[in-house]
């Protein structure tokens, strides 16, 4: 059974930094692309970042490009999202998701999310 | 970047009725790489449909997807109480993996 467990969320001030983690189990982690998706309170889903199974290809939404960095440690079966220069509008529940292929694909499995609140 | 527009924003139906949800893309979705997800309050999204029309593992056959090019539809043939939720479409063939704004399916 695929399990994805996010951690690292919290409350912080604008301009701050935070690193989210997503611990994966139940599948061969390095075989699959992974992604982060966020959901602001009361709003819809917004794709944030994705990267390939080997980590050699990364993609970021325009709203976070230059501020957020996605990475992975395949030896630890863990996905990361380094978030810098945080803004109030980055407040959201952040989900990690397993994609269906090694480089891209549908978001077949999701974690339960971790809440990030950016507020002064 | 493909923009996905879902309609209606909200639909009110009764259990047993048929639901038809629309997702329109601003440009052709290559390979019909379009997915549908269901989300209930306080829960993570649930993967329903990929390739516009293929059901994910364990998804009941009352859920069906159709369409190609720029116009896609999610149909729920006979609504069960647990089907009332928000539904999102998404393109996933290449970045950016855009989501539609969602359709809320509520009990009438």
């Amino acid at each position: 059974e695929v399990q994805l467990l996010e951690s690292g969320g919290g409350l912080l001030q604008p301009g701050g930094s935070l690193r989210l983690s997503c611990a994966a189990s139940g599948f061969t982690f390095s075989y699959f692309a992974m992604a982060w998706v966020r959901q602001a309170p009361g709003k819809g889903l917004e794709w944030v970042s994705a990267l390939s199974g080997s980590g050699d290809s990364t993609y970021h939404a325009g709203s976070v490009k230059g501020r957020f960095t996605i990475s992975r440690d395949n030896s630890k079966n863990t996905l990361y999202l380094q978030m810098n220069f945080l803004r109030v509008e980055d407040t959201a529940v952040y989900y990690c998701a397993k994609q269906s292929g090694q480089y891209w694909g549908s978001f077949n499995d999701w974690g339960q999310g971790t809440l990030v609140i950016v507020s002064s | 970047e493909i923009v996905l527009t879902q309609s209606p924003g909200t639909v009110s139906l009764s259990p047993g009725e048929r639901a038809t949800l629309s997702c329109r893309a601003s440009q052709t979705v290559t390979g019909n790489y379009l997915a549908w997800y269901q989300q209930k309050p306080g829960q993570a999204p649930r993967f329903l449909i990929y390739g516009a029309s293929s059901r994910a593992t364990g998804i009941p056959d009352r859920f069906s997807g159709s369409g190609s090019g720029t116009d896609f539809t999610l149909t729920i043939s006979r609504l069960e109480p647990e089907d009332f939720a928000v539904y999102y479409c998404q393109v996933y063939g290449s970045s950016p993996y855009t989501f539609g704004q969602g359709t809320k399916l509520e009990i009438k």
Side-chain angles (χ1 to χ4, degrees), chain B:
Chain B
E1 175 177 342
I2 295 178
V3 175
L4 298 176
T5 302
Q6 293 186 239
S7 61
T10 302
V11 57
S12 301
L13 294 169
S14 301
E17 291 192 296
R18 180 185 186 91
T20 304
L21 282 59
S22 174
C23 176
R24 178 163 290 178
S26 60
Q27 56 188 276
T28 298
V29 177
T30 305
N32 288 335
Y33 294 129
L34 184 115
W36 289 92
Y37 304 86
Q38 175 195 68
Q39 188 180 35
K40 297 179 182 179
Q43 296 185 17
R46 176 193 184 195
F47 176 50
L48 297 177
I49 300 285
Y50 65 97
S53 60
S54 298
R55 273 187 303 276
T57 302
I59 300 304
D61 60 8
R62 64 180 182 273
F63 290 89
S64 63
S66 62
S68 64
T70 61
D71 290 304
F72 300 88
T73 301
L74 175 69
T75 300
I76 311 171
S77 58
R78 296 170 308 280
L79 285 166
E80 297 287 343
E82 62 266 28
D83 298 336
F84 292 91
V86 180
Y87 292 83
Y88 296 94
C89 58
Q90 182 210 24
V91 288
Y92 63 85
S94 62
S95 173
Y97 301 122
T98 313
F99 288 91
Q101 83 278 20
T103 289
K104 182 179 181 180
L105 176 56
E106 64 178 24
I107 298 177
K108 187 173 182 180

Side-chain angles (χ1 to χ4, degrees), chain A residues 35 37 39 43-47 50 59-60 95 99-100 103-112, chain B residues 33 35 37 39 42-47 49-50 88 90 92-101:
Chain A
V37 176
Q39 187 169 38
K43 302 298 184 182
L45 301 174
E46 180 188 14
W47 169 72
Y59 311 94
H60 296 277
Y95 296 100
Q99 294 183 252
S100 58
Y103 283 95
W104 55 277
S106 51
F107 293 15
N108 292 17
D109 299 278
W110 297 66
Q112 283 305 303
Chain B
Y33 294 129
Y37 304 86
Q39 188 180 35
Q43 296 185 17
R46 176 193 184 195
F47 176 50
I49 300 285
Y50 65 97
Y88 296 94
Q90 182 210 24
Y92 63 85
S94 62
S95 173
Y97 301 122
T98 313
F99 288 91
Q101 83 278 20

